[in-house]
Every structure is written in C-alpha cells, then in structure tokens.
Amino acid sequence: MKIGIVCYPTYGGSGVVATELGRFLALRGHEVHFMSFTLPFRLAHDPVDNVFFHEVQSLRYDVLPSDLYGIALASKIVQVVQMHGLDIVHVHYAVPHAISAFMARSALDKQYHPFKVVTTLHGTDITLVGRAPSFFPIAAYAINQSDAVTTVSNWLKDETIREFGIKRPIDVIPNFVDVEKFRRGLTPCKKSRLAPHGEKILLHISNFRPVKRATDVVEIYARVREKIPAVLVMVGDGPERDNAAQRARELHVEESVKFLGKQDNIELFMSCADVFVFPSEYESFGLAALEAMACELPVVASNAGGLPEVIDPGRTGFLAEMGNVDEMAARVLEVLADGERASTMGREARKSVHDQFLPEAIIPQYEDLYQRVLRDTAPVAPNGTNGIGADEYIYADGI
Ligand code: GMT
C-alpha cells in the first residue's frame, strides 16, 4: 500500500507512535510518505528505505489572522497524492490534520475520492483541544467523517463516545514499543554519571505540561529521599519545568534532582534507572510508561485514564489515586526496598510488553484496518471495475 502519515513531528507521544508506525510499515514493504512541518525526530535518527518526507511550508503574512498551517498541509496532501497516488492518509491527532485531509480530498477529483482517511485519536486532541468550545464542532466532524477512527485505549474510546455522542465504530489499537531499541543494560549506560555513589535512580520523562504533574514527581522524590539515598532524573522540557525546579528548592532536594532537558535517546536513561515515576492527571495510554516497562523498569503511576490498561498493579508496577503523593512515594519505596522484587517486577513489565504491545502484534492491526476501509468503500475506477490501486485513480487536472 501507499500510505501517507500526518503527525506532529516534535517530542510527544502521538508523533512517536506515528513515526514508529511508518517505519515498521515501510519495513513490511509499504511505501510511506510523512507530511509535517519538520522531519519527525525519531525518523531523523533512524532512517529506513521506502520512507519519504514532505515538508509542509506554511505562510506568515501580516494581513493573515494566524499561521495557516492546516491549509498548507491540505495543499501538501494534494500534491503528494498527485505525485504518488496514496491509498490511505493516516492522520494522527484529529485537529487540524483530519480536516486538512478532507480538504485535500475535496480539492482532488470528487468523483473518484482518491484516498481514504484514517484518524487516530491520541488523547489531548479529544480531552483538551477537541473539547474546547472553539474546536468542538469541527472535532466532531473530523471523527464522524473519517473512513476509520482509532483510539489508543478503551478509556479514550469511551471518552470520545461520551464527549461527542459518537455513534460510529471506533477501533482500539494500543501504542507499541520496539523492544530491540528499548531494553535493559544499554551502553553507554548513564548510571555511574547519574548516581555516582550508587544511589537509586527515580526517572521521569515527559513534556512537562500541567497534565504530567511534574511537581508531584518532586514531592514523591523528596519523601523517598528521607528514607533512602536516591537521585531524581527529570528528562524533557515544558511549561512546568520551572515550577518543579522551584518545588525541589523549597523541599531542599535540588542538589540531587537533575533536570536534563530534552534528550533524543531516552532509552539510555530508562535502561539503567530503578523506577519510573508517572503521576499524570491522566494519560490516554502512557507511551513513556510502556517504553520504561520494555526497559524492565517498574512504573509507579496514577490510576487515571488508560494507565490501568498498561500497568498491572503489583506485577509490573503500582497505581495510586492521582495526586496522592504519599501513596506513590510509599510504592516507590516498596519497589526499591527489595532488589529481588524490583528485578522480578521489571522482568514482568517487559514480559507484559512482549505479550501485548509488540510492533509485530500491533502493526498488522493497522494493516487490517487499512485493508478494511479500502475494501468497504473502494472507489469506483473509471472503467467500472473496483480497482483500488493507486495507478487507477484519476486526479483532477490543473490543481
Ligand atoms: O500529551 C502528551 O503527552 C502528548 C500526547 C501527544 O499527542 O503527543 O500524548 C498522547 O498520545 C500518546 C500516544 O498515543 C499517549 O501514549 C499519551 O498517553 C497521550 N497523552 C495524554 O493523554 C496526556
């Protein structure tokens, strides 16, 4: 198949999932065309054959109300379809990506509807952006008009149905992780640099948006450090980083909290930490937790959103009420107190990834979905046969 993938390319779970999906689809023989405003960072570090990148260049001009990225993206989709004849455009994040795809489809020859639109909802596109009154009707339209819609967890599916009163079918296809890349004991392991005196390493990785509750991470750490020697490693950057650093100063633990900012190779930190701390207000899935589990890290997280679909409490980590930093600290101590237990939990965490979230299990679910939308609503080729090959499409002239 020829598949277009539209995503946010910078640090963030939806972009990572989209990029990894494209890479694995290409490795399975599909032709994949990424469209975004910059090269997705994981693609830049791990290029594969059969993957093409098309940069969307928007326009800023004084008289224009704001950046017209959604329209520039629609134009790019038109051009890529004209050049390469895509079967599917798979958009990650409903707004504005799905709308741009519909716009592009209308701009192409209407009679033959040249490609199908698959929309994957990742979380904040529903819980924050889609729910906002200024975007609500168009987010609902994006969901209803897509040829197929997926969510990354059952929780997000239920939220979408509840929030938008959606009647259409929604497929749940969870996040996945490359276990060759994310594993224990990678070199160069950073343990001796992060914890030079053999302290335990608590790790948090996120974009430090309010939903991640980064100050809770510091609260949890301060409680843990009262009991055992430990350091806290904070990877990533975002609006709550300064507040978290301030809280570390107030709690007098700042000298053992390391804010490392954005890092490309997060697996190097995950592969040598002792516990992953993830106290989010909610996560539609929690990709970072899954990546940590692949690195045999027990995860202590809030029991919000889709996290209970990822973490099996008592076996692969622990869940606590969102905001209950006392309980989360107690759970972290429980993990760290018994090295044997921590290792067992870590091994179980990786096993759980193997059992449920391997690319080999998840990518075929997307392939089956693509086949289904192409089959169910195959465009009628000019000669009356039901051809769906890209070569048979007719595109409007002069666009
Ligand atoms: O909000 C974020 O953390 C980024 C966001 C995104 O869209 O990039 O992540 C969401 O999508 C990920 C991939 O499907 C999920 O694993 C994350 O749980 C989800 N984040 C939230 O729901 C807050």
Side-chain angles (χ1 to χ4, degrees):
M1 277 179 271
K2 292 188 178 188
I3 301 155
I5 293 188
V6 176
C7 66
Y8 287 116
T10 47
Y11 298 81
S14 63
V16 171
V17 169
T19 308
E20 293 293 307
L21 171 63
R23 288 182 58 246
F24 277 102
L25 286 168
L27 290 170
R28 291 165 70 91
H30 302 285
E31 183 177 309
V32 178
H33 294 263
F34 281 92
M35 291 164 270
S36 196
F37 54 85
T38 188
L39 184 67
F41 77 99
R42 287 219 178 158
L43 208 56
H45 289 97
D46 213 351
V48 285
D49 288 346
N50 247 5
V51 170
F52 302 84
F53 173 64
H54 308 270
E55 185 175 321
V56 180
Q57 287 173 335
S58 197
L59 178 71
R60 286 180 194 274
Y61 183 58
D62 286 350
V63 298
L64 300 175
S66 64
D67 185 11
L68 299 178
Y69 178 71
I71 293 176
L73 172 61
S75 286
K76 183 56 71 181
I77 296 173
V78 169
Q79 290 164 346
V80 172
V81 170
Q82 285 176 323
M83 291 275 287
H84 301 279
L86 303 179
D87 301 304
I88 299 280
V89 172
H90 187 170
V91 300
H92 294 259
Y93 225 80
V95 181
H97 295 163
I99 305 302
S100 302
F102 301 149
M103 225 189 282
R105 193 155 65 177
S106 310
L108 290 157
D109 186 285
K110 288 189 176 60
Q111 192 182 351
Y112 298 112
H113 286 300
F115 61 84
K116 299 295 163 192
V117 178
V118 174
T119 299
T120 289
L121 307 173
H122 283 273
T124 48
D125 44 356
I126 295 303
T127 53
L128 278 176
V129 181
R131 178 177 284 165
S134 48
F135 286 109
F136 186 89
I138 215 69
Y141 177 76
I143 297 164
N144 281 318
Q145 291 302 309
S146 296
D147 296 298
V149 174
T150 80
T151 59
V152 295
S153 63
N154 287 301
W155 176 82
L156 186 60
K157 176 179 175 175
D158 294 345
E159 279 294 289
T160 306
I161 291 169
R162 191 178 59 76
E163 192 70 40
F164 293 93
I166 297 290
K167 302 256 189 299
R168 62 158 305 141
I170 294 178
D171 289 80
V172 177
I173 305 183
N175 289 178
F176 57 94
V177 59
D178 180 352
V179 291
E180 294 305 315
K181 183 173 177 190
F182 285 85
R183 57 193 163 81
R184 196 84 197 141
L186 290 172
T187 45
C189 174
K190 311 237 179 229
K191 194 155 196 136
S192 58
R193 271 174 42 214
L194 297 171
H197 308 296
E199 302 95 327
K200 297 291 183 188
I201 302 175
L202 282 69
L203 179 66
H204 173 76
I205 302 181
S206 77
N207 51 26
F208 287 72
R209 283 193 265 152
V211 69
K212 304 295 178 184
R213 297 183 70 91
T215 51
D216 279 9
V217 179
V218 176
E219 295 281 353
I220 293 162
Y221 168 66
R223 286 160 175 74
V224 169
R225 217 196 64 164
E226 280 174 13
K227 308 276 190 226
I228 58 167
V231 296
L232 172 61
V233 177
M234 304 280 268
V235 175
D237 213 332
E240 284 297 305
R241 177 175 168 169
D242 289 346
N243 285 338
Q246 172 63 21
R247 194 66 194 127
R249 283 191 291 276
E250 288 164 4
L251 294 169
H252 307 293
V253 293
E254 75 272 22
E255 80 290 348
S256 50
V257 180
K258 298 174 200 294
F259 286 91
L260 301 183
K262 289 178 181 169
Q263 299 283 332
D264 283 342
N265 299 110
I266 56 170
E267 66 278 9
L268 295 182
F269 301 93
M270 288 177 165
S271 83
C272 65
D274 293 296
V275 62
F276 192 72
V277 184
F278 211 39
S280 301
E281 184 183 334
Y282 62 85
E283 287 291 333
S284 60
F285 183 91
L287 178 63
L290 189 68
E291 291 170 334
M293 286 165 62
C295 293
E296 297 183 34
L297 268 189
V299 179
V300 175
S302 50
N303 61 2
L307 284 166
E309 297 175 44
V310 183
I311 297 153
D312 185 358
R315 183 168 84 91
T316 64
F318 288 108
L319 298 171
E321 282 301 312
M322 187 268 290
N324 190 341
V325 291
D326 288 328
E327 190 186 341
M328 289 189 207
R331 292 307 198 178
V332 169
L333 283 164
E334 196 175 330
V335 169
L336 297 180
D338 179 348
E340 193 49 47
R341 174 127 196 249
S343 303
T344 306
M345 276 193 140
R347 280 196 301 275
E348 286 297 313
R350 187 165 169 94
K351 180 171 184 307
S352 169
V353 173
H354 269 271
D355 290 346
Q356 303 175 76
F357 304 112
L358 286 185
E360 292 84 339
I362 305 300
I363 307 299
Q365 295 182 37
Y366 282 113
E367 288 175 320
D368 289 350
L369 183 74
Y370 298 158
Q371 296 287 5
R372 197 175 80 209
V373 294
L374 290 171
R375 202 173 46 236
D376 288 353
T377 51
V380 180
N383 62 6
T385 64
N386 234 13
I388 56 168
D391 292 341
E392 293 169 274
Y393 293 140
I394 291 184
Y395 304 107
D397 289 332
I399 295 171

